[in-house]
């Protein structure tokens, strides 16, 4: 474990520069946007050559990247870091350690080969400026800076050079067999393939069409082996679907191994820390005070493996991308029930989770889930009848399924408000829990649609920081009106 240096040692550190190779990473950051057009042009001879005209600016970017290396300086004080940057327009940022909410180290493959890291300082000021991103430092220097900033959260007595550093508690560690399970039960392979097809259409319209034509040609060439008649086409289609499913699973497994290799979630008195990644390495931490809401999921395949996925919403600057939040703060991409309980129990007050008693929704809550999609099927079926005749009535077969699904959903849905926690649950094929400490709720409001008024229902919404950034709102839906008003007033009194 790294111990914090004494104040005298920190004050003695002179003004420093970035790593001598930082200009190379600045240049690579500009060039990587041209990688895809270059690959398509070289291997297919197609694509928009005008997209490569930007490469003419490389001759200008090289001296600018070198100039940034010489103009970027930083000094570490006893309680702050001062960053100077800019060649013509000079900027000085004086950042107190107490204002830094998070410091993360990023290492791509090139970083690891050269033993350097990119350091990102997050102050929660709603900005994502280059002055808060130090590209790049030597890995040892980056770790030392991270240790100094993290130690500033501890009491003075705990950072004494003669005192031993507090050991972090490991909450979750994912071995390779768990990552294989994660790849099997996740749908990341489908997302990556869809993104690849979209990119192929963007740069080369003929490539996806050629793939589909190749698959169709293979089926036609082997139709004698498959037999004759409609059964042959059904068998061929099943073979294609099986091959596609196998490919997607393999891609998902590869993505899980690359993204979460060496995953370790640890905790100390102030923050949660995550280390993960095979080629690109991520080392970051999340202060406990920034955790706003929790999302616990168990899909159909996860239920077969008795596994869960746990994520948290974190307070951050307004410009921070949700993709970064979801990736960095997936506290448990896969874990069993005991592991999930251990993580939540370490962060939340004792007795908060699991919920002892779930309260039911309105007895007619199932109707709110059933009527709107059922009524929507009527005009859809009418349009299908106009175009396809009697076969257009097939969408109406979904109405019995909607009825059964709504009934079962309402039976499993519920909410809880106890021990300083507000929580909701829903789902039966795939289960979903969303919860937050009531002291983290920023606002609470009551909503009642015309359908709700007719059935005597209302919904209570609980807003937290960064609510709605890719996660569903923490909403207690379809409660009896009097019960909803009582819950709203209780929560409003607690957060005030």
């Amino acid at each position: 474990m790294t111990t914090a240096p004494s104040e005298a040692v920190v004050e003695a550190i002179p003004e420093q520069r970035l790593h001598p190779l930082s200009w190379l990473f600045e240049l690579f950051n500009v060039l990587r946007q041209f990688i895809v057009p270059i690959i398509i042009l070289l291997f297919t001879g197609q694509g928009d050559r005008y997209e490569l005209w930007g490469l003419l600016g490389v001759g200008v970017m090289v001296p600018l990247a070198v100039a940034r290396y010489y103009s970027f300086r930083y000094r570490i004080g006893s309680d702050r870091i001062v960053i100077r940057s800019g060649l013509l327009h000079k900027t000085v940022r004086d950042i107190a350690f107490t204002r830094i909410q998070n410091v993360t180290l990023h290492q791509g493959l090139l970083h690891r080969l050269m033993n350097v890291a990119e350091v990102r300082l997050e102050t929660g000021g709603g900005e994502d400026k280059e002055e808060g991103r130090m590209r790049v430092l030597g890995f040892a220097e980056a770790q030392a800076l991270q240790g100094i900033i993290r130690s500033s959260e501890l009491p003075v007595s705990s950072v004494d050079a003669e005192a031993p550093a507090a050991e972090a508690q490991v909450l979750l560690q994912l071995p390779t067999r768990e990552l294989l399970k994660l790849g099997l039960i996740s749908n990341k392979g489908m997302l990556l393939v869809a993104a690849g097809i979209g990119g192929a259409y963007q740069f080369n319209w003929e490539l996806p069409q050629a793939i589909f034509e190749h698959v169709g040609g293979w089926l036609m060439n082997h139709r004698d082996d498959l037999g004759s008649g409609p059964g042959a086409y059904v068998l061929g289609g099943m073979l294609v679907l099986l091959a596609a499913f196998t490919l997607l699973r393999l891609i998902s497994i590869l993505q899980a191994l690359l993204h979460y290799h060496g995953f370790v979630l640890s905790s100390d008195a102030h923050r949660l820390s995550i280390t993960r990644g095979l080629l690109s390495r991520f080392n970051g931490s999340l202060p406990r005070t920034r955790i706003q809401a929790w999302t616990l999921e168990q899909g159909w395949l996860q239920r077969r493996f008795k596994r869960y996925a746990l994520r948290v919403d974190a307070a951050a600057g307004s410009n921070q991308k949700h993709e970064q939040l979801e990736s960095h703060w997936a506290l448990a991409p896969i874990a069993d029930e005991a592991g999930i309980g251990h993580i939540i129990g370490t962060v939340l007050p004792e007795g908060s989770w699991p919920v002892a008693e779930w309260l039911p929704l309105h007895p007619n809550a199932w109707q709110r889930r059933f009527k709107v999609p059922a009524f929507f099927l009527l005009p859809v079926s009418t349009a299908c009848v106009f175009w396809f005749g009697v076969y257009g009535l097939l969408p109406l077969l979904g109405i019995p399924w909607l009825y059964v699904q709504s009934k079962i959903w309402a039976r499993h849905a519920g909410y809880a408000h106890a021990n300083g926690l507000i929580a909701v649950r829903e789902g039966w094929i795939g289960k979903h829990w969303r919860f937050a400490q009531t002291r983290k709720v920023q606002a609470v409001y009551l909503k009642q649609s015309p359908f709700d008024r007719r059935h005597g229902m209302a919904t209570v919404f609980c807003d937290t920081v960064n609510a709605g950034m890719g996660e569903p709102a923490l909403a207690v839906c379809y409660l009896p009106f009097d019960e909803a008003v009582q819950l709203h007033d209780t929560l409003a009194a607690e957060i005030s």
Side-chain angles (χ1 to χ4, degrees):
M1 297 294 293
T2 302
T3 58
S6 65
E7 182 174 342
V9 173
V10 174
E11 290 287 4
I13 297 178
E15 195 172 51
Q16 303 174 64
R17 287 178 176 171
L18 299 175
H19 192 275
L21 294 178
S22 62
W23 68 271
L24 181 62
F25 291 89
E26 289 283 350
L27 181 61
F28 178 76
N29 189 54
V30 175
L31 291 179
R32 64 182 179 181
Q33 59 185 311
F34 299 102
I35 290 178
V36 174
I38 290 174
I39 292 176
I40 292 177
L41 183 62
L42 291 178
F43 288 93
T44 67
Q46 303 179 23
D48 191 354
R49 287 172 170 80
Y50 291 102
E51 295 177 353
L52 302 180
W53 281 36
L55 289 175
L56 296 177
V58 173
V60 178
M61 294 306 301
V62 171
L64 288 179
V66 175
R68 175 173 173 79
Y69 161 70
Y70 281 103
S71 63
F72 194 103
R73 308 282 183 91
Y74 68 97
R75 182 191 298 275
I76 301 175
S78 59
D79 61 348
R80 65 190 58 247
I81 179 172
V82 179
I83 300 176
R84 305 177 187 273
S85 62
L87 188 60
L88 299 178
H89 180 75
K90 297 183 179 294
T91 302
V92 178
R93 296 194 69 189
D94 189 326
I95 309 174
F97 290 157
T98 55
R99 300 295 298 172
I100 298 177
Q101 296 185 354
N102 191 23
V103 51
T104 58
L105 306 186
H106 294 258
Q107 281 189 297
L109 180 58
L110 186 59
H111 292 84
R112 300 183 69 182
L113 290 175
M114 297 185 177
N115 197 31
V116 296
E118 178 181 324
V119 181
R120 298 179 185 176
L121 306 178
E122 299 176 15
T123 61
E127 299 180 353
D128 184 20
K129 295 185 177 181
E130 290 297 318
E131 288 81 8
R133 180 178 298 177
M134 307 172 73
R135 187 190 293 127
V136 292
L137 296 179
F139 188 63
E141 289 78 4
Q143 283 186 313
L145 176 60
Q146 186 182 52
I148 292 173
I149 294 175
R150 289 182 179 179
S151 67
S152 66
E153 298 178 348
L154 302 175
V156 175
S157 59
S158 66
V159 296
D160 191 336
E162 298 180 358
E167 289 291 339
Q169 176 188 7
V170 175
L171 302 181
L172 180 65
Q173 201 164 6
L174 296 181
T176 302
R177 64 177 180 275
E178 288 297 306
L179 297 181
L180 295 177
K181 292 178 183 178
L182 176 61
L184 289 174
I185 64 181
S186 69
N187 293 317
K188 292 295 181 67
M190 184 178 298
L191 297 177
L192 293 175
V193 170
I197 293 176
Y201 270 115
Q202 180 179 358
F203 294 106
N204 186 357
W205 291 90
E206 299 180 3
L207 183 60
Q209 180 180 356
I211 294 176
F212 291 127
E213 290 178 353
H214 181 75
V215 173
W218 182 88
L219 289 176
M220 294 299 295
N221 293 333
H222 292 80
R223 59 182 177 181
D224 294 336
D225 299 333
L226 298 174
S228 59
Y233 292 99
V234 173
L235 179 59
M238 292 178 63
L239 290 176
V240 171
L241 290 177
L242 178 61
F245 176 81
T246 303
L247 177 62
L248 291 176
R249 292 301 101 183
L250 292 176
I251 294 176
S252 294
I253 291 174
L254 179 61
Q255 190 273 343
L257 291 173
L258 291 175
H259 196 73
Y260 292 110
H261 173 78
F263 182 95
V264 177
L265 172 67
S266 58
S267 172
D268 58 26
H270 298 270
R271 57 178 64 236
L272 302 175
S273 298
I274 293 177
T275 302
R276 57 159 178 80
L278 181 60
L279 301 180
S280 179
R281 197 73 174 160
F282 171 80
N283 183 344
S285 61
L286 174 65
R288 294 189 181 193
T289 55
R290 288 180 59 192
I291 297 178
Q292 303 299 311
W294 303 68
T295 301
L296 181 62
E297 290 181 337
Q298 188 183 42
W300 183 82
L301 283 175
Q302 289 171 314
R303 294 180 66 183
R304 306 282 78 77
F305 284 90
K306 298 181 179 180
R307 293 297 187 270
Y308 298 80
L310 179 66
R311 301 188 300 274
V312 293
D313 299 347
S318 59
N319 290 343
Q320 186 166 354
K321 297 180 180 179
H322 169 70
E323 290 79 8
Q324 294 175 336
L325 282 175
E326 181 179 14
S327 173
H328 295 171
W329 311 128
L331 298 188
I334 183 172
D336 57 17
E337 185 174 1
I340 293 294
H342 182 49
I343 295 172
I344 299 176
T346 300
V347 180
L348 295 183
E350 185 177 358
S352 299
W353 191 268
V355 172
E357 181 182 4
W358 292 95
L359 301 176
L361 307 181
H362 192 286
N364 294 327
W366 68 271
Q367 296 184 20
R368 292 287 285 107
R369 296 278 295 189
F370 168 72
K371 289 185 177 179
V372 173
F375 287 150
F376 176 75
L377 286 178
L378 295 178
V380 171
S381 182
T382 302
C384 290
V385 168
F386 177 79
W387 289 102
F388 305 108
V390 67
Y391 293 104
L393 297 175
L394 290 177
L396 296 180
L397 295 178
I399 292 181
W401 162 252
L402 288 174
Y403 176 83
V404 173
Q405 190 268 346
S406 300
K407 280 280 192 178
I408 300 178
W409 174 87
R411 190 184 310 151
H412 288 81
Y415 79 100
H417 177 219
N419 299 321
L421 202 72
I422 177 70
V424 295
R425 71 173 185 182
E426 61 181 14
W428 55 286
I429 296 179
K431 297 184 177 181
H432 182 274
W433 296 262
R434 185 100 165 121
F435 53 95
Q437 292 178 275
T438 52
R439 64 184 182 88
K440 296 288 187 173
V441 177
Q442 302 293 311
V444 56
Y445 57 95
L446 195 72
K447 182 178 179 181
Q448 195 179 33
S449 69
F451 295 101
D452 291 330
R453 286 195 293 269
R454 179 177 179 180
H455 292 88
M457 304 179 192
T459 296
V460 178
F461 285 89
C462 303
D463 276 347
T464 56
V465 175
N466 282 344
M469 296 182 63
E471 294 288 357
L474 207 172
V476 186
C477 302
Y478 314 139
L479 291 182
F481 181 74
D482 293 339
E483 187 175 344
V485 171
Q486 181 180 0
L487 177 63
H488 170 272
D489 293 345
T490 303
L491 289 172
E494 290 183 7
I495 67 177
S496 64

